[in-house]
Amino acid sequence: MQTQVKPTTIVQSPVQIDKDQESSISALYIFWSRAVDVLFGVCGTIIVLLLLPVLGLVIFLDSPGPIFYSQERLGQQGRLFRIYKFRSMKPSNTGHVQWAQAGDSRVTRVGRVLRPTHLDELPQVWNILRGDMSMIGPRPELPAFSQKLEKCIPDYNRRVMVKPGLTGLAQVSHNYGDTTEDERIKLDYDLQYIRQRSIALDIKIIFKTVSEVAFGHGR
């Protein structure tokens, strides 16, 4: 696991939530959201620790490289943080990052099981407990991708008004995409979630996430 980097930001002027939106978020919802984060973070950590001996061994035996994969992502208000996953791809020494694609040759044999079931993302529960992420929110994006997309998609930087999430409305409503048009569609869902956050919507997203994990709809 890589050393934690000092948090910085890449957004020059932090994006502010509209006052009407801010006042519409009830104290009950704030309590609910934090309770879900803590509960899932604790339960998820227990699951990770139980699975670690088995997953760690098969990842190590399947291909050379570390058990965990660490990468810098964009958080709330443009704050950079380091995300953790079980490694599901072959290590790359090129330093070049790109979206995963269907049939991606970089995915390991173990990764073909981890990615559809989203088991590779379980270590992100540590990010949730640290407060870098929430259970539900926009997907945490790579800084380089975010800077590129901000230039061609209006309001793209508004995604960082809230914490990124392990799952979210965009993740369960649109197939994993690797094009700018896919990102436009997902942005619409992200902004819809930011405007309409509620306990009922969160529960709906959680149930859809459980369904996706059960049927292996990841990439």
Side-chain angles (χ1 to χ4, degrees):
M1 197 179 287
Q2 298 184 26
T3 304
Q4 177 70 29
V5 297
K6 183 179 180 180
T8 56
T9 60
I10 65 169
V11 175
Q12 298 299 322
S13 299
V15 181
Q16 300 298 324
I17 298 176
D18 296 337
K19 290 183 178 181
D20 289 342
Q21 287 180 286
E22 207 167 34
S23 61
S24 68
I25 302 173
S26 68
L28 177 60
Y29 177 76
I30 294 174
F31 173 80
W32 151 267
S33 180
R34 186 54 189 161
V36 168
D37 288 351
V38 172
L39 178 61
F40 184 80
V42 171
C43 293
T45 296
I46 294 173
I47 293 172
V48 170
L49 293 177
L50 290 174
L51 292 177
L52 183 57
V54 176
L55 287 182
L57 179 62
V58 295
I59 291 171
F60 175 78
L61 294 176
D62 183 46
S63 64
I67 295 172
F68 293 101
Y69 173 73
S70 175
Q71 192 177 58
E72 200 170 62
R73 295 293 177 99
L74 195 63
Q76 187 176 21
Q77 296 296 305
R79 182 178 180 274
L80 298 178
F81 70 98
R82 190 160 287 280
I83 202 172
Y84 298 102
K85 296 183 178 184
F86 284 120
R87 184 174 60 82
S88 62
M89 288 187 170
K90 300 169 186 175
S92 172
N93 297 321
T94 64
H96 177 67
V97 293
Q98 63 186 76
W99 279 311
Q101 301 175 347
D104 200 310
S105 61
R106 296 173 297 166
V107 177
T108 63
R109 289 173 296 181
V110 173
R112 295 190 192 111
V113 176
L114 296 181
R115 294 175 71 86
T117 57
H118 299 282
L119 285 174
D120 61 316
E121 298 183 358
L122 266 179
Q124 291 176 44
V125 296
W126 298 326
N127 292 111
I128 293 175
L129 285 177
R130 284 172 51 86
D132 297 322
M133 295 174 60
S134 286
M135 172 64 180
I136 302 172
R139 179 178 180 274
E141 190 56 89
L142 285 160
F145 286 170
S146 183
Q147 290 177 325
K148 176 182 177 181
L149 292 168
E150 283 179 23
K151 295 177 181 178
C152 54
I153 302 179
D155 294 328
Y156 189 80
N157 67 332
R158 292 177 66 83
R159 299 171 74 255
V160 301
M161 290 192 299
V162 298
K163 288 181 182 180
L166 181 62
T167 186
L169 185 61
Q171 293 94 308
V172 300
S173 300
H174 186 69
N175 293 332
Y176 187 99
D178 51 16
T179 68
T180 300
E181 184 57 32
D182 286 317
E183 294 301 319
R184 292 182 196 275
I185 296 171
K186 288 191 287 185
L187 175 63
D188 288 340
Y189 283 115
D190 286 335
L191 297 183
Q192 178 185 339
Y193 175 74
I194 292 172
R195 292 192 302 267
Q196 300 177 2
R197 281 172 290 169
S198 68
I199 295 176
L201 181 56
D202 282 359
I203 292 174
K204 179 180 179 181
I205 292 170
I206 291 172
F207 274 109
K208 281 195 172 185
T209 301
V210 171
S211 175
E212 283 205 354
V213 171
F215 291 100
H217 290 160
R219 180 182 293 183

